[in-house]
Structure formats: C-alpha cells, structure tokens
Amino acid sequence: IIFTSEHGDMFGKHGRFMRGGPLRGTFYDDVLHIPFFIKHPRIPPSRLDELVEQIDIAPTLLDFLSIQKEPSFQGQSLVPLIAEKKAIHEYVFAGSEYNPGEDNPYFTEHTRVEAIRSKEWKLIKETVISKDSPSEYMELYDLTNDKEEVFNLAATKKEILDDFNVLLSEW
C-alpha cells in the first residue's frame, strides 16, 4: 500500500495561499514536503529521513515485484533506502509552469517555478517569462538553521546559489 498526496498548501504562511504556480516562492517545504508511506507485508515499520521524489514510486513498485524497469524511467527504486537505509538522492527537484491565461485578474505573466533541495539547502527559482521584461527571482535557504524558510540567503551565499543554479539548469 502506498499513501501520498499531490502537494501541500501554504495556508497563509509567508503571506501566501495555494501551491506552486503564479506566486513567487511557492515551492517552500510546506508545498513540497508531502506525506509518503509504504506498507509492505514483509518489511517492518520504520521512519526514514531521506530525500525522495514521487517519480521514484514506479521504479520502487517494479523492484518490489522483481520486474525490470524501463530504461526511460527517470526515478530510482527506493528499495536500497528501505532495506539498507542507503540514501538514494543527494538532491531532489520540483518544477511547475503557470500560464494564467487572458482572464486572470491577479497575475498576468507566464512563470516557471523550480526548486532544488538537498538535506541542508534549497534554491527556489522563479522565472517570469515575459516578452516585455523577463526576470528571475531566487531564494536560497539554509534548511539546517532555518527550517521555516524565512531567511533568504541568496545575496550572501553566492557560491552555494551558483552551484545549485547550475544543477537546477542541468535538471
């Protein structure tokens, strides 16, 4: 049995509501850190604190069933994590594009919101895709010392920001 959800919600935190899309910075952990439970009849219960992505679900199920995954699958089986407590990902990624259409009275620009997260750091990058004035806005958080993602360190931790931005671009 697998239980998960599509996304979280801001519920007014940071003055925001909703999830990823038209609002700058909506890839906080409140949106991305979602419930994910696996109940397997032959595996004792445990709680693991590692980075996983929903794209890992299909390869994990196939691995449980001893079925070879297709080479085109991008996710990784979580069986080594579950069985051996072996980390699967150093980084996890999220992305969303939002096109508000012509009738949206609140937001008129096409945007792309992307995030890369390690256990220690997270970069949230919003690109406003506009013919008139395209722009990028970045937020960098030290998740070890700022779990609520309050202090944007993008201006002071340039090397980490640049490294994460490269990894995000490669993704």
Side-chain angles (χ1 to χ4, degrees):
I1 298 170
I2 292 180
F3 174 85
T4 190
S5 74
E6 176 188 7
H7 58 76
D9 200 303
M10 293 303 296
F11 292 115
K13 194 171 178 184
H14 297 280
R16 294 175 170 90
F17 291 87
M18 300 172 51
R19 54 188 157 94
L23 300 174
R24 189 170 274 159
T26 49
F27 271 178
Y28 294 114
D29 271 4
D30 297 85
V31 172
L32 297 181
H33 190 201
I34 59 172
F36 181 57
F37 302 93
I38 297 176
K39 168 73 170 115
H40 189 288
R42 291 189 214 108
I43 299 174
S46 66
R47 181 184 179 118
L48 304 173
D49 183 25
E50 291 296 333
L51 299 173
V52 300
E53 300 176 293
Q54 286 189 324
I55 199 167
D56 298 328
I57 294 172
T60 302
L61 289 174
L62 292 173
D63 203 0
F64 278 145
L65 298 169
S66 299
I67 299 173
Q68 186 74 24
K69 77 174 186 171
E70 291 292 321
S72 61
F73 276 33
Q74 295 177 16
Q76 301 296 317
S77 171
L78 300 175
V79 169
L81 170 62
I82 296 165
E84 305 165 29
K85 310 299 187 258
K86 182 178 176 183
I88 302 297
H89 299 291
E90 185 175 357
Y91 307 101
V92 290
F93 301 86
S96 176
E97 284 204 17
Y98 181 76
N99 190 349
E102 296 175 14
D103 299 337
N104 188 324
Y106 304 106
F107 202 79
T108 59
E109 301 292 345
H110 182 136
T111 61
R112 179 183 310 116
V113 180
E114 301 166 290
I116 176 174
R117 186 192 197 286
S118 70
K119 290 187 88 169
E120 297 83 20
W121 292 94
K122 183 198 283 174
L123 171 64
I124 301 171
K125 176 180 176 181
E126 180 186 42
T127 305
V128 177
I129 304 165
S130 169
K131 293 177 185 163
D132 300 327
S133 59
S135 62
E136 287 184 346
Y137 180 78
M138 295 196 215
E139 297 176 64
L140 181 69
Y141 295 102
D142 174 356
L143 301 175
T144 303
N145 299 304
D146 181 18
K147 295 188 185 316
E148 298 299 315
E149 298 169 303
V150 174
F151 304 104
N152 181 1
L153 302 177
T156 59
K157 298 290 185 181
K158 187 83 168 113
E159 186 175 326
I160 295 169
L161 179 111
D162 290 344
D163 290 346
F164 270 57
N165 196 28
V166 167
L167 291 168
L168 189 59
S169 294
E170 289 171 358
W171 174 71

